[in-house]
Amino acid sequence: MILFMINIHRHLKFLICLMFYTSSLYSKTSFPGADTFSSTVHLSMGGAGYLKPSSSNFNVNPSIFGGKIFSASIIKYPASIASQNIGITLPIINNGFSSFSINHISYGTFDGYTEDFEPTGSYSSSDTRISGSYGRSFSKIPLRIGLRSNYYLLKYGNQRFRMLSLGIGSAISSKKQDIILGFSIHDVIINLSENKVDLSPQFVLSGSKKLKYLPLELYLDLTSKDQSNQTLFFGGEFDLGSSFKFRFGSSTRKFNQNIEKDLFSSIVGASGLGFGYKSQNIFFNYGVYMFGTGALAQGIEIAISL
């Protein structure tokens, strides 16, 4: 019991960090990095936008293609946790495209101790994910399909985890109605380490709609990891002229994260805001996400149209 209390005291910062940046705590999700943001654009929309193309976001529907893009982003979480992400998307033959991304999140460096409370030196904890995907559209029917594979290398002190995961996605669209509907499955795990892995697959139903009389595209996503862990995301992106975009979004995670700190945090918790600016073929994006605790995550992203 004494050793347990000592470890809790010494690693309090680490535990608080995980609670801050992890959008919700799932009983079957052992790895907090699985639910973090890797794209400033999606952070701005509070996690919404699974049908919003991104070369660095490993959580989007893999059937979605947004052109030849290279992007790099940095996202800062509370307690000095940082996420660094790069990705590229390129078209290939037969109406296809391929994406490749690297996502790394560092939780920081901590002091280690023996059972007798003797220092053993410092150690670090981090998650690294290498992702590749392939998708294609069909010329005769408004259907897109995609497949994504991820390699995880997870380090928590002297604990190491290696995993492969697979994901699939599809989307159908109506140009007349400016509607896209999608379905995707994420993180079907293949364990490559001796340590037990307990990461549940995620199922996502998504929709996007460009409004006819407003320069606004809306996104709606329903995610589920089991019957008790469903989350509804809602977000949008305004086109304000040819160079400027404004984004917003929130989710039902505001109820899980609500600690009744104050009225403002309770209302705007689990919500994001941000903007994007285009200069020739370069896009600058900034976003901020507020947790129900009142803590903030901020991100910047640069994307280049190739």
Side-chain angles (χ1 to χ4, degrees):
M1 176 62 70
I2 295 176
L3 176 62
F4 175 77
M5 294 303 296
I6 291 174
N7 286 335
I8 287 295
H9 175 73
R10 289 294 176 179
H11 298 90
L12 182 59
K13 172 188 172 184
F14 180 57
L15 295 174
I16 292 175
C17 294
L18 299 188
M19 293 178 66
F20 271 151
Y21 78 77
T22 304
S23 298
S24 60
L25 299 178
Y26 297 123
S27 61
K28 292 187 178 182
T29 301
S30 302
F31 307 109
D35 292 314
T36 56
F37 296 107
S38 59
S39 165
T40 299
V41 172
H42 294 83
L43 177 145
S44 302
M45 296 193 295
Y50 280 76
L51 295 177
K52 175 74 174 173
S54 173
S55 58
S56 63
N57 189 350
F58 51 77
N59 277 329
V60 297
N61 187 314
S63 70
I64 298 302
F65 175 60
K68 296 188 293 182
I69 295 288
F70 169 81
S71 67
S73 67
I74 297 176
I75 298 175
K76 295 286 189 178
Y77 292 90
S80 301
I81 295 177
S83 172
Q84 299 170 320
N85 314 277
I86 60 171
I88 188 170
T89 303
L90 296 171
I92 55 180
I93 60 174
N94 296 326
N95 297 320
F97 69 92
S98 182
S99 293
F100 177 80
S101 66
I102 300 176
N103 313 101
H104 177 79
I105 182 166
S106 172
Y107 305 125
T109 301
F110 308 91
D111 296 325
Y113 295 88
T114 66
E115 294 183 357
D116 297 322
F117 201 52
E118 296 178 352
T120 59
S122 60
Y123 66 91
S124 61
S125 296
S126 63
D127 291 350
T128 301
R129 183 192 305 225
I130 302 173
S131 303
S133 66
Y134 168 78
R136 64 160 299 181
S137 60
F138 297 89
S139 56
K140 295 184 178 180
I141 55 176
L143 174 66
R144 312 171 193 177
I145 59 173
L147 172 68
R148 173 175 288 109
S149 62
N150 304 300
Y151 173 74
Y152 289 85
L153 178 59
L154 313 172
K155 182 175 69 172
Y156 305 128
N158 59 2
Q159 298 292 317
R160 301 290 190 274
F161 299 86
R162 294 184 301 113
M163 301 180 295
L164 286 176
S165 75
L166 298 176
I168 59 173
S170 63
I172 58 174
S173 59
S174 170
K175 291 185 178 180
K176 183 178 181 180
Q177 301 295 329
D178 275 331
I179 292 177
I180 301 176
L181 299 175
F183 174 73
S184 53
I185 303 174
H186 305 260
D187 284 333
V188 179
I189 294 297
I190 302 172
N191 188 16
L192 302 178
S193 63
E194 296 180 356
N195 296 311
K196 182 180 178 182
V197 173
D198 195 10
L199 184 64
S200 299
Q202 179 174 253
F203 301 86
V204 184
L205 286 172
S206 304
S208 69
K209 165 69 176 177
K210 289 185 178 180
L211 300 188
K212 188 174 181 179
Y213 299 107
L214 278 177
L216 172 63
E217 185 165 10
L218 295 175
Y219 296 90
L220 187 66
D221 306 281
L222 177 63
T223 68
S224 175
K225 289 192 175 182
D226 56 53
Q227 292 183 353
S228 62
N229 285 326
Q230 286 106 24
T231 304
L232 183 65
F233 297 89
F234 175 80
E237 181 180 72
F238 278 99
D239 284 320
L240 304 177
S242 59
S243 301
F244 192 82
K245 296 180 183 293
F246 174 76
R247 306 180 181 100
F248 65 94
S250 189
S251 73
T252 54
R253 285 177 174 170
K254 66 169 63 265
F255 303 111
N256 298 331
Q257 295 180 6
N258 185 11
I259 61 173
E260 299 182 356
K261 177 182 178 182
D262 52 57
L263 182 60
F264 180 78
S265 298
S266 299
I267 294 175
V268 304
S271 299
L273 289 173
F275 64 86
Y277 177 77
K278 179 182 177 182
S279 177
Q280 297 181 348
N281 66 326
I282 301 177
F283 301 83
F284 301 90
N285 297 299
Y286 171 80
V288 59
Y289 179 87
M290 183 173 182
F291 297 88
T293 60
L296 297 177
Q298 300 182 71
I300 58 172
E301 181 174 334
I302 297 177
I304 302 173
S305 180
L306 303 175

